[in-house]
PDB file of all heavy atoms in Angstrom:
ATOM      1  N   ALA A   1       3.001  -8.307 -22.990  1.00 75.00           N
ATOM      2  CA  ALA A   1       3.303  -7.712 -24.349  1.00 75.00           C
ATOM      3  C   ALA A   1       3.384  -6.223 -24.331  1.00 75.00           C
ATOM      4  O   ALA A   1       3.973  -5.631 -25.263  1.00 75.00           O
ATOM      5  CB  ALA A   1       2.178  -8.080 -25.336  1.00 75.00           C
ATOM      6  N   ASP A   2       2.948  -5.569 -23.327  1.00 76.00           N
ATOM      7  CA  ASP A   2       3.019  -4.027 -23.336  1.00 76.00           C
ATOM      8  C   ASP A   2       3.925  -3.509 -22.159  1.00 76.00           C
ATOM      9  O   ASP A   2       3.817  -2.379 -21.805  1.00 76.00           O
ATOM     10  CB  ASP A   2       1.592  -3.577 -23.088  1.00 76.00           C
ATOM     11  CG  ASP A   2       0.534  -4.026 -24.104  1.00 76.00           C
ATOM     12  OD1 ASP A   2       1.011  -4.053 -25.258  1.00 76.00           O
ATOM     13  OD2 ASP A   2      -0.581  -4.230 -23.795  1.00 76.00           O
ATOM     14  N   LEU A   3       4.855  -4.310 -21.667  1.00 76.00           N
ATOM     15  CA  LEU A   3       5.659  -3.923 -20.625  1.00 76.00           C
ATOM     16  C   LEU A   3       6.497  -2.716 -20.919  1.00 76.00           C
ATOM     17  O   LEU A   3       6.744  -1.896 -20.088  1.00 76.00           O
ATOM     18  CB  LEU A   3       6.638  -5.090 -20.122  1.00 76.00           C
ATOM     19  CG  LEU A   3       5.943  -6.206 -19.524  1.00 76.00           C
ATOM     20  CD1 LEU A   3       6.924  -7.348 -19.081  1.00 76.00           C
ATOM     21  CD2 LEU A   3       5.142  -5.814 -18.178  1.00 76.00           C
ATOM     22  N   ASP A   4       6.947  -2.584 -22.201  1.00 77.00           N
ATOM     23  CA  ASP A   4       7.815  -1.372 -22.559  1.00 77.00           C
ATOM     24  C   ASP A   4       6.931  -0.104 -22.515  1.00 77.00           C
ATOM     25  O   ASP A   4       7.461   0.969 -22.329  1.00 77.00           O
ATOM     26  CB  ASP A   4       8.397  -1.635 -23.962  1.00 77.00           C
ATOM     27  CG  ASP A   4       7.340  -1.911 -24.996  1.00 77.00           C
ATOM     28  OD1 ASP A   4       6.228  -2.427 -24.720  1.00 77.00           O
ATOM     29  OD2 ASP A   4       7.487  -1.591 -26.224  1.00 77.00           O
ATOM     30  N   LYS A   5       5.608  -0.265 -22.661  1.00 79.00           N
ATOM     31  CA  LYS A   5       4.749   0.963 -22.592  1.00 79.00           C
ATOM     32  C   LYS A   5       4.228   1.328 -21.213  1.00 79.00           C
ATOM     33  O   LYS A   5       4.092   2.498 -20.876  1.00 79.00           O
ATOM     34  CB  LYS A   5       3.468   0.720 -23.549  1.00 79.00           C
ATOM     35  CG  LYS A   5       3.848   0.609 -25.027  1.00 79.00           C
ATOM     36  CD  LYS A   5       2.629   0.301 -25.796  1.00 79.00           C
ATOM     37  CE  LYS A   5       2.941   0.134 -27.330  1.00 79.00           C
ATOM     38  NZ  LYS A   5       1.720  -0.182 -28.132  1.00 79.00           N
ATOM     39  N   ILE A   6       3.988   0.228 -20.456  1.00 77.00           N
ATOM     40  CA  ILE A   6       3.362   0.526 -19.119  1.00 77.00           C
ATOM     41  C   ILE A   6       4.264   0.098 -17.990  1.00 77.00           C
ATOM     42  O   ILE A   6       3.751  -0.009 -16.789  1.00 77.00           O
ATOM     43  CB  ILE A   6       2.001  -0.223 -18.964  1.00 77.00           C
ATOM     44  CG1 ILE A   6       2.220  -1.742 -19.055  1.00 77.00           C
ATOM     45  CG2 ILE A   6       0.973   0.303 -19.994  1.00 77.00           C
ATOM     46  CD1 ILE A   6       0.931  -2.522 -18.784  1.00 77.00           C
ATOM     47  N   GLY A   7       5.543  -0.173 -18.289  1.00 80.00           N
ATOM     48  CA  GLY A   7       6.477  -0.658 -17.171  1.00 80.00           C
ATOM     49  C   GLY A   7       6.564   0.438 -16.116  1.00 80.00           C
ATOM     50  O   GLY A   7       6.558   0.028 -14.935  1.00 80.00           O
ATOM     51  N   VAL A   8       6.683   1.720 -16.465  1.00 84.00           N
ATOM     52  CA  VAL A   8       6.768   2.726 -15.412  1.00 84.00           C
ATOM     53  C   VAL A   8       5.469   2.786 -14.545  1.00 84.00           C
ATOM     54  O   VAL A   8       5.529   2.874 -13.360  1.00 84.00           O
ATOM     55  CB  VAL A   8       7.024   4.129 -16.054  1.00 84.00           C
ATOM     56  CG1 VAL A   8       6.961   5.273 -14.964  1.00 84.00           C
ATOM     57  CG2 VAL A   8       8.399   4.183 -16.768  1.00 84.00           C
ATOM     58  N   SER A   9       4.407   2.669 -15.231  1.00 82.00           N
ATOM     59  CA  SER A   9       3.000   2.660 -14.520  1.00 82.00           C
ATOM     60  C   SER A   9       2.993   1.417 -13.502  1.00 82.00           C
ATOM     61  O   SER A   9       2.552   1.591 -12.344  1.00 82.00           O
ATOM     62  CB  SER A   9       1.914   2.575 -15.414  1.00 82.00           C
ATOM     63  OG  SER A   9       1.848   3.643 -16.261  1.00 82.00           O
ATOM     64  N   ILE A  10       3.455   0.218 -13.946  1.00 83.00           N
ATOM     65  CA  ILE A  10       3.487  -0.848 -13.107  1.00 83.00           C
ATOM     66  C   ILE A  10       4.460  -0.680 -11.938  1.00 83.00           C
ATOM     67  O   ILE A  10       4.076  -1.055 -10.752  1.00 83.00           O
ATOM     68  CB  ILE A  10       3.864  -2.156 -13.883  1.00 83.00           C
ATOM     69  CG1 ILE A  10       2.808  -2.506 -14.968  1.00 83.00           C
ATOM     70  CG2 ILE A  10       4.056  -3.323 -12.961  1.00 83.00           C
ATOM     71  CD1 ILE A  10       3.259  -3.591 -15.916  1.00 83.00           C
ATOM     72  N   ALA A  11       5.576  -0.083 -12.121  1.00 86.00           N
ATOM     73  CA  ALA A  11       6.414   0.170 -11.056  1.00 86.00           C
ATOM     74  C   ALA A  11       5.874   1.200 -10.021  1.00 86.00           C
ATOM     75  O   ALA A  11       6.033   0.966  -8.825  1.00 86.00           O
ATOM     76  CB  ALA A  11       7.816   0.703 -11.660  1.00 86.00           C
ATOM     77  N   LEU A  12       5.234   2.214 -10.526  1.00 87.00           N
ATOM     78  CA  LEU A  12       4.558   3.130  -9.658  1.00 87.00           C
ATOM     79  C   LEU A  12       3.501   2.460  -8.887  1.00 87.00           C
ATOM     80  O   LEU A  12       3.318   2.819  -7.678  1.00 87.00           O
ATOM     81  CB  LEU A  12       3.990   4.299 -10.438  1.00 87.00           C
ATOM     82  CG  LEU A  12       5.074   5.301 -11.011  1.00 87.00           C
ATOM     83  CD1 LEU A  12       4.433   6.356 -11.888  1.00 87.00           C
ATOM     84  CD2 LEU A  12       5.757   6.010  -9.873  1.00 87.00           C
ATOM     85  N   PHE A  13       2.797   1.557  -9.516  1.00 85.00           N
ATOM     86  CA  PHE A  13       1.711   0.973  -8.781  1.00 85.00           C
ATOM     87  C   PHE A  13       2.218   0.098  -7.606  1.00 85.00           C
ATOM     88  O   PHE A  13       1.724   0.014  -6.528  1.00 85.00           O
ATOM     89  CB  PHE A  13       0.947  -0.053  -9.695  1.00 85.00           C
ATOM     90  CG  PHE A  13       0.012  -1.043  -9.109  1.00 85.00           C
ATOM     91  CD1 PHE A  13      -1.276  -0.560  -8.637  1.00 85.00           C
ATOM     92  CD2 PHE A  13       0.477  -2.320  -8.813  1.00 85.00           C
ATOM     93  CE1 PHE A  13      -2.052  -1.477  -7.983  1.00 85.00           C
ATOM     94  CE2 PHE A  13      -0.413  -3.169  -8.118  1.00 85.00           C
ATOM     95  CZ  PHE A  13      -1.645  -2.861  -7.729  1.00 85.00           C
ATOM     96  N   PHE A  14       3.368  -0.597  -7.846  1.00 87.00           N
ATOM     97  CA  PHE A  14       3.934  -1.483  -6.879  1.00 87.00           C
ATOM     98  C   PHE A  14       4.422  -0.559  -5.665  1.00 87.00           C
ATOM     99  O   PHE A  14       4.173  -0.949  -4.525  1.00 87.00           O
ATOM    100  CB  PHE A  14       5.153  -2.188  -7.372  1.00 87.00           C
ATOM    101  CG  PHE A  14       5.785  -3.035  -6.454  1.00 87.00           C
ATOM    102  CD1 PHE A  14       5.231  -4.217  -5.928  1.00 87.00           C
ATOM    103  CD2 PHE A  14       7.126  -2.753  -5.914  1.00 87.00           C
ATOM    104  CE1 PHE A  14       5.906  -5.030  -5.011  1.00 87.00           C
ATOM    105  CE2 PHE A  14       7.799  -3.523  -5.002  1.00 87.00           C
ATOM    106  CZ  PHE A  14       7.221  -4.639  -4.524  1.00 87.00           C
ATOM    107  N   VAL A  15       5.111   0.590  -5.943  1.00 89.00           N
ATOM    108  CA  VAL A  15       5.554   1.408  -4.905  1.00 89.00           C
ATOM    109  C   VAL A  15       4.387   2.003  -4.085  1.00 89.00           C
ATOM    110  O   VAL A  15       4.430   2.046  -2.838  1.00 89.00           O
ATOM    111  CB  VAL A  15       6.392   2.613  -5.453  1.00 89.00           C
ATOM    112  CG1 VAL A  15       6.765   3.667  -4.425  1.00 89.00           C
ATOM    113  CG2 VAL A  15       7.642   2.086  -6.148  1.00 89.00           C
ATOM    114  N   VAL A  16       3.368   2.428  -4.808  1.00 87.00           N
ATOM    115  CA  VAL A  16       2.113   2.912  -4.016  1.00 87.00           C
ATOM    116  C   VAL A  16       1.520   1.770  -3.230  1.00 87.00           C
ATOM    117  O   VAL A  16       1.019   2.029  -2.086  1.00 87.00           O
ATOM    118  CB  VAL A  16       1.143   3.609  -5.040  1.00 87.00           C
ATOM    119  CG1 VAL A  16      -0.217   3.800  -4.337  1.00 87.00           C
ATOM    120  CG2 VAL A  16       1.654   4.771  -5.712  1.00 87.00           C
ATOM    121  N   GLY A  17       1.465   0.614  -3.741  1.00 87.00           N
ATOM    122  CA  GLY A  17       0.908  -0.507  -2.993  1.00 87.00           C
ATOM    123  C   GLY A  17       1.637  -0.774  -1.815  1.00 87.00           C
ATOM    124  O   GLY A  17       1.021  -1.049  -0.746  1.00 87.00           O
ATOM    125  N   ILE A  18       2.961  -0.775  -1.836  1.00 89.00           N
ATOM    126  CA  ILE A  18       3.775  -1.030  -0.644  1.00 89.00           C
ATOM    127  C   ILE A  18       3.506   0.086   0.384  1.00 89.00           C
ATOM    128  O   ILE A  18       3.356  -0.214   1.629  1.00 89.00           O
ATOM    129  CB  ILE A  18       5.232  -1.030  -0.950  1.00 89.00           C
ATOM    130  CG1 ILE A  18       5.553  -2.200  -1.928  1.00 89.00           C
ATOM    131  CG2 ILE A  18       6.120  -1.165   0.297  1.00 89.00           C
ATOM    132  CD1 ILE A  18       5.319  -3.602  -1.277  1.00 89.00           C
ATOM    133  N   GLY A  19       3.430   1.300  -0.048  1.00 89.00           N
ATOM    134  CA  GLY A  19       3.086   2.449   0.838  1.00 89.00           C
ATOM    135  C   GLY A  19       1.780   2.231   1.500  1.00 89.00           C
ATOM    136  O   GLY A  19       1.648   2.442   2.744  1.00 89.00           O
ATOM    137  N   ILE A  20       0.736   1.774   0.727  1.00 88.00           N
ATOM    138  CA  ILE A  20      -0.587   1.592   1.274  1.00 88.00           C
ATOM    139  C   ILE A  20      -0.623   0.486   2.323  1.00 88.00           C
ATOM    140  O   ILE A  20      -1.227   0.495   3.296  1.00 88.00           O
ATOM    141  CB  ILE A  20      -1.629   1.286   0.159  1.00 88.00           C
ATOM    142  CG1 ILE A  20      -1.895   2.555  -0.684  1.00 88.00           C
ATOM    143  CG2 ILE A  20      -2.920   0.714   0.642  1.00 88.00           C
ATOM    144  CD1 ILE A  20      -2.753   2.392  -1.851  1.00 88.00           C
ATOM    145  N   ALA A  21       0.269  -0.566   2.062  1.00 87.00           N
ATOM    146  CA  ALA A  21       0.295  -1.645   2.989  1.00 87.00           C
ATOM    147  C   ALA A  21       0.855  -1.193   4.384  1.00 87.00           C
ATOM    148  O   ALA A  21       0.318  -1.587   5.456  1.00 87.00           O
ATOM    149  CB  ALA A  21       1.293  -2.721   2.433  1.00 87.00           C
ATOM    150  N   PHE A  22       1.761  -0.305   4.285  1.00 88.00           N
ATOM    151  CA  PHE A  22       2.376   0.206   5.692  1.00 88.00           C
ATOM    152  C   PHE A  22       1.312   1.163   6.376  1.00 88.00           C
ATOM    153  O   PHE A  22       1.222   1.078   7.510  1.00 88.00           O
ATOM    154  CB  PHE A  22       3.680   0.940   5.443  1.00 88.00           C
ATOM    155  CG  PHE A  22       4.919   0.002   5.302  1.00 88.00           C
ATOM    156  CD1 PHE A  22       5.261  -0.513   4.171  1.00 88.00           C
ATOM    157  CD2 PHE A  22       5.565  -0.319   6.419  1.00 88.00           C
ATOM    158  CE1 PHE A  22       6.377  -1.373   4.008  1.00 88.00           C
ATOM    159  CE2 PHE A  22       6.662  -1.139   6.419  1.00 88.00           C
ATOM    160  CZ  PHE A  22       7.116  -1.678   5.122  1.00 88.00           C
ATOM    161  N   VAL A  23       0.733   2.029   5.453  1.00 88.00           N
ATOM    162  CA  VAL A  23      -0.343   2.946   6.052  1.00 88.00           C
ATOM    163  C   VAL A  23      -1.594   2.222   6.661  1.00 88.00           C
ATOM    164  O   VAL A  23      -2.006   2.522   7.775  1.00 88.00           O
ATOM    165  CB  VAL A  23      -0.680   3.968   4.932  1.00 88.00           C
ATOM    166  CG1 VAL A  23      -1.843   4.747   5.418  1.00 88.00           C
ATOM    167  CG2 VAL A  23       0.464   4.836   4.616  1.00 88.00           C
ATOM    168  N   SER A  24      -1.921   1.111   6.015  1.00 86.00           N
ATOM    169  CA  SER A  24      -3.100   0.469   6.440  1.00 86.00           C
ATOM    170  C   SER A  24      -2.872  -0.270   7.780  1.00 86.00           C
ATOM    171  O   SER A  24      -3.610  -0.343   8.700  1.00 86.00           O
ATOM    172  CB  SER A  24      -3.559  -0.549   5.415  1.00 86.00           C
ATOM    173  OG  SER A  24      -2.564  -1.524   5.101  1.00 86.00           O
ATOM    174  N   GLU A  25      -1.587  -0.741   7.868  1.00 83.00           N
ATOM    175  CA  GLU A  25      -1.301  -1.430   9.298  1.00 83.00           C
ATOM    176  C   GLU A  25      -1.226  -0.375  10.336  1.00 83.00           C
ATOM    177  O   GLU A  25      -1.606  -0.624  11.419  1.00 83.00           O
ATOM    178  CB  GLU A  25       0.103  -2.088   9.132  1.00 83.00           C
ATOM    179  CG  GLU A  25       0.336  -2.941  10.479  1.00 83.00           C
ATOM    180  CD  GLU A  25       1.840  -3.484  10.410  1.00 83.00           C
ATOM    181  OE1 GLU A  25       2.800  -2.829   9.991  1.00 83.00           O
ATOM    182  OE2 GLU A  25       1.946  -4.687  10.785  1.00 83.00           O
ATOM    183  N   ILE A  26      -0.670   0.789  10.016  1.00 86.00           N
ATOM    184  CA  ILE A  26      -0.609   1.859  10.985  1.00 86.00           C
ATOM    185  C   ILE A  26      -2.038   2.310  11.423  1.00 86.00           C
ATOM    186  O   ILE A  26      -2.345   2.541  12.590  1.00 86.00           O
ATOM    187  CB  ILE A  26       0.169   3.114  10.473  1.00 86.00           C
ATOM    188  CG1 ILE A  26       1.613   2.822  10.301  1.00 86.00           C
ATOM    189  CG2 ILE A  26      -0.076   4.335  11.302  1.00 86.00           C
ATOM    190  CD1 ILE A  26       2.417   3.829   9.522  1.00 86.00           C
ATOM    191  N   MET A  27      -2.982   2.360  10.432  1.00 84.00           N
ATOM    192  CA  MET A  27      -4.400   2.642  10.720  1.00 84.00           C
ATOM    193  C   MET A  27      -5.008   1.600  11.688  1.00 84.00           C
ATOM    194  O   MET A  27      -5.664   1.848  12.540  1.00 84.00           O
ATOM    195  CB  MET A  27      -5.083   2.754   9.487  1.00 84.00           C
ATOM    196  CG  MET A  27      -4.877   4.020   8.634  1.00 84.00           C
ATOM    197  SD  MET A  27      -5.997   4.189   7.214  1.00 84.00           S
ATOM    198  CE  MET A  27      -7.559   4.212   8.030  1.00 84.00           C
ATOM    199  N   ARG A  28      -4.586   0.301  11.356  1.00 81.00           N
ATOM    200  CA  ARG A  28      -5.181  -0.799  12.233  1.00 81.00           C
ATOM    201  C   ARG A  28      -4.723  -0.662  13.677  1.00 81.00           C
ATOM    202  O   ARG A  28      -5.477  -0.729  14.580  1.00 81.00           O
ATOM    203  CB  ARG A  28      -4.623  -2.139  11.625  1.00 81.00           C
ATOM    204  CG  ARG A  28      -4.846  -3.335  12.586  1.00 81.00           C
ATOM    205  CD  ARG A  28      -6.269  -3.767  12.678  1.00 81.00           C
ATOM    206  NE  ARG A  28      -6.445  -4.907  13.599  1.00 81.00           N
ATOM    207  CZ  ARG A  28      -7.044  -6.066  13.177  1.00 81.00           C
ATOM    208  NH1 ARG A  28      -7.335  -6.285  11.939  1.00 81.00           N
ATOM    209  NH2 ARG A  28      -7.179  -6.985  14.050  1.00 81.00           N
ATOM    210  N   LYS A  29      -3.407  -0.366  13.829  1.00 82.00           N
ATOM    211  CA  LYS A  29      -2.889  -0.125  15.214  1.00 82.00           C
ATOM    212  C   LYS A  29      -3.535   1.043  15.890  1.00 82.00           C
ATOM    213  O   LYS A  29      -3.838   1.053  17.059  1.00 82.00           O
ATOM    214  CB  LYS A  29      -1.414   0.005  15.170  1.00 82.00           C
ATOM    215  CG  LYS A  29      -0.736  -1.276  14.735  1.00 82.00           C
ATOM    216  CD  LYS A  29       0.826  -1.169  14.753  1.00 82.00           C
ATOM    217  CE  LYS A  29       1.486  -2.495  14.398  1.00 82.00           C
ATOM    218  NZ  LYS A  29       2.994  -2.380  14.413  1.00 82.00           N
ATOM    219  N   ALA A  30      -3.720   2.096  15.123  1.00 81.00           N
ATOM    220  CA  ALA A  30      -4.363   3.295  15.706  1.00 81.00           C
ATOM    221  C   ALA A  30      -5.802   3.069  16.103  1.00 81.00           C
ATOM    222  O   ALA A  30      -6.237   3.597  17.085  1.00 81.00           O
ATOM    223  CB  ALA A  30      -4.341   4.445  14.689  1.00 81.00           C
ATOM    224  N   LEU A  31      -6.573   2.261  15.249  1.00 80.00           N
ATOM    225  CA  LEU A  31      -7.887   1.958  15.699  1.00 80.00           C
ATOM    226  C   LEU A  31      -8.008   1.046  16.905  1.00 80.00           C
ATOM    227  O   LEU A  31      -8.760   1.281  17.782  1.00 80.00           O
ATOM    228  CB  LEU A  31      -8.523   1.207  14.506  1.00 80.00           C
ATOM    229  CG  LEU A  31      -9.003   1.868  13.285  1.00 80.00           C
ATOM    230  CD1 LEU A  31      -9.457   1.000  12.180  1.00 80.00           C
ATOM    231  CD2 LEU A  31     -10.187   2.829  13.678  1.00 80.00           C
ATOM    232  N   GLU A  32      -7.017   0.116  17.047  1.00 77.00           N
ATOM    233  CA  GLU A  32      -6.939  -0.817  18.200  1.00 77.00           C
ATOM    234  C   GLU A  32      -6.589   0.050  19.360  1.00 77.00           C
ATOM    235  O   GLU A  32      -7.163  -0.132  20.533  1.00 77.00           O
ATOM    236  CB  GLU A  32      -5.941  -1.845  18.021  1.00 77.00           C
ATOM    237  CG  GLU A  32      -6.379  -2.874  17.009  1.00 77.00           C
ATOM    238  CD  GLU A  32      -5.268  -3.890  16.688  1.00 77.00           C
ATOM    239  OE1 GLU A  32      -4.075  -3.606  17.083  1.00 77.00           O
ATOM    240  OE2 GLU A  32      -5.563  -5.042  16.132  1.00 77.00           O
ATOM    241  N   GLN A  33      -5.683   1.061  19.329  1.00 79.00           N
ATOM    242  CA  GLN A  33      -5.344   1.825  20.490  1.00 79.00           C
ATOM    243  C   GLN A  33      -6.435   2.721  20.896  1.00 79.00           C
ATOM    244  O   GLN A  33      -6.812   2.889  22.077  1.00 79.00           O
ATOM    245  CB  GLN A  33      -4.127   2.669  20.142  1.00 79.00           C
ATOM    246  CG  GLN A  33      -2.807   1.839  20.028  1.00 79.00           C
ATOM    247  CD  GLN A  33      -1.678   2.626  19.506  1.00 79.00           C
ATOM    248  OE1 GLN A  33      -1.740   3.915  19.250  1.00 79.00           O
ATOM    249  NE2 GLN A  33      -0.456   2.021  19.380  1.00 79.00           N
ATOM    250  N   ALA A  34      -7.194   3.278  19.905  1.00 78.00           N
ATOM    251  CA  ALA A  34      -8.352   4.201  20.188  1.00 78.00           C
ATOM    252  C   ALA A  34      -9.406   3.346  20.868  1.00 78.00           C
ATOM    253  O   ALA A  34     -10.083   3.843  21.784  1.00 78.00           O
ATOM    254  CB  ALA A  34      -8.763   4.812  18.892  1.00 78.00           C
ATOM    255  N   TRP A  35      -9.642   2.165  20.317  1.00 75.00           N
ATOM    256  CA  TRP A  35     -10.691   1.296  20.960  1.00 75.00           C
ATOM    257  C   TRP A  35     -10.448   0.874  22.318  1.00 75.00           C
ATOM    258  O   TRP A  35     -11.209   0.877  23.273  1.00 75.00           O
ATOM    259  CB  TRP A  35     -10.941   0.074  20.071  1.00 75.00           C
ATOM    260  CG  TRP A  35     -11.882  -0.942  20.649  1.00 75.00           C
ATOM    261  CD1 TRP A  35     -11.557  -2.283  20.763  1.00 75.00           C
ATOM    262  CD2 TRP A  35     -13.149  -0.758  21.167  1.00 75.00           C
ATOM    263  NE1 TRP A  35     -12.561  -2.919  21.312  1.00 75.00           N
ATOM    264  CE2 TRP A  35     -13.602  -1.997  21.573  1.00 75.00           C
ATOM    265  CE3 TRP A  35     -13.985   0.333  21.289  1.00 75.00           C
ATOM    266  CZ2 TRP A  35     -14.863  -2.227  22.169  1.00 75.00           C
ATOM    267  CZ3 TRP A  35     -15.213   0.204  21.939  1.00 75.00           C
ATOM    268  CH2 TRP A  35     -15.670  -1.155  22.354  1.00 75.00           C
ATOM    269  N   ALA A  36      -9.133   0.587  22.572  1.00 75.00           N
ATOM    270  CA  ALA A  36      -8.652   0.234  23.949  1.00 75.00           C
ATOM    271  C   ALA A  36      -8.770   1.472  24.902  1.00 75.00           C
ATOM    272  O   ALA A  36      -9.226   1.256  26.044  1.00 75.00           O
ATOM    273  CB  ALA A  36      -7.209  -0.260  23.918  1.00 75.00           C
TER     274      ALA A  36
END
């Protein structure tokens, strides 16, 4: 019911979430390499 008010916020949340997904995988690989 509030998409017209918070649509931009939801879009920004999705973009930030995608970025966090990529960064977290990079962190995982960095941790594995450091541990190895």
Side-chain angles (χ1 to χ4, degrees):
D2 301 324
L3 290 181
D4 55 335
K5 298 179 181 179
I6 62 173
V8 175
S9 298
I10 294 175
L12 286 174
F13 168 82
F14 178 72
V15 172
V16 171
I18 296 298
I20 290 176
F22 279 89
V23 170
S24 58
E25 185 186 46
I26 293 172
M27 288 185 61
R28 166 74 182 238
K29 291 181 177 179
L31 283 172
E32 290 175 344
Q33 291 174 356
W35 171 232

